[in-house]
Amino acid sequence: MSRLLRWGLALVLGSALLIAGLLLLPFSQWMPGGTVGDIPTSAVVNGSAFNRLFPTPGPGEELVFTQEKRGFSQARLKQGGEALALLAISDTTTAPEAREKFRSSADSLKGWPLVEQGQQASALLVAERFQVKVIGQEKGLDLNQRHELLEAFDLPGLAALPQPKGTRQALKPARPALDPAPNPA
């Protein structure tokens, strides 16, 4: 293929993408979306701040961090080269719908709302903001093992992370506050 033909093709493709983008722009509010990029940097905890809050691996175990980005950190807990669990902490500021599943939670662990997600996943909502999740891998983990791993996270340290500026009023509590008793007049 000649150089001129390649440049012509690239120009046509680039133009087509530009036109498609302009045509879809008016419909952007209808499209699914909302990413961490839509939220100011100062409103989201950086994933590196979560790393020190993960459980300390036991004898024969290793913790391998697999992903870290703004508002999220993830690691695999391994033993003998076999994955035991996927562990994650996420700042729900980037995904407020993640808090919704905790609203109706009747269970708690260390005082934080707890939900079970299928046969292999357990999650906590810490400080009405941070989701801590344990997902069993390969052979899996039973309920008690997942809960022990959740308890092994530094939950008080997570709850004590500084609240970024401008988020206090933007975040709604995961559980509705109790109405005060009516004031007899």
Side-chain angles (χ1 to χ4, degrees):
M1 186 183 296
S2 74
R3 181 179 239 171
L4 184 60
L5 185 57
R6 282 185 286 191
W7 276 99
L9 252 161
L11 186 60
V12 168
L13 284 173
S15 299
L17 286 172
L18 181 63
I19 291 170
L22 291 173
L23 291 175
L24 292 175
L25 189 61
F27 302 104
S28 62
Q29 70 270 17
W30 294 350
M31 294 180 170
T35 65
V36 71
D38 297 336
I39 298 169
T41 302
S42 62
V44 180
V45 174
N46 194 348
S48 62
F50 298 141
N51 292 351
R52 63 184 170 78
L53 305 170
F54 277 75
T56 304
E61 295 177 339
E62 69 174 318
L63 194 61
V64 180
F65 286 91
T66 56
Q67 189 175 16
E68 178 188 296
K69 59 185 179 182
R70 224 167 53 123
F72 182 77
S73 186
Q74 175 180 286
R76 284 198 193 285
L77 181 63
K78 293 184 173 188
Q79 186 172 39
E82 185 177 301
L84 295 176
L86 185 65
L87 312 175
I89 300 175
S90 59
D91 184 343
T92 62
T93 302
T94 62
E97 64 279 358
R99 288 191 298 257
E100 292 302 314
K101 65 182 161 257
F102 295 97
R103 260 189 214 280
S104 60
S105 171
D107 297 327
S108 67
L109 188 68
K110 295 250 181 176
W112 304 111
L114 169 74
V115 294
E116 300 303 326
Q117 298 177 298
Q119 297 293 316
Q120 287 296 321
S122 300
L124 281 178
L125 183 65
V126 176
E128 298 179 349
R129 177 170 185 178
F130 302 107
Q131 179 176 244
V132 180
K133 197 174 216 178
V134 173
I135 304 170
Q137 301 283 287
E138 295 183 23
K139 292 182 184 176
L141 299 173
D142 66 31
L143 187 70
N144 290 333
Q145 290 171 314
R146 290 195 312 270
H147 290 187
E148 285 173 14
L149 273 172
L150 284 170
E151 288 176 337
F153 279 85
D154 181 1
L155 300 175
L158 184 58
L161 284 176
Q163 191 78 280
K165 296 174 186 173
T167 58
R168 247 171 236 246
Q169 291 153 1
L171 293 176
K172 294 186 173 114
R175 294 177 182 225
L178 296 174
D179 292 331
N183 189 6

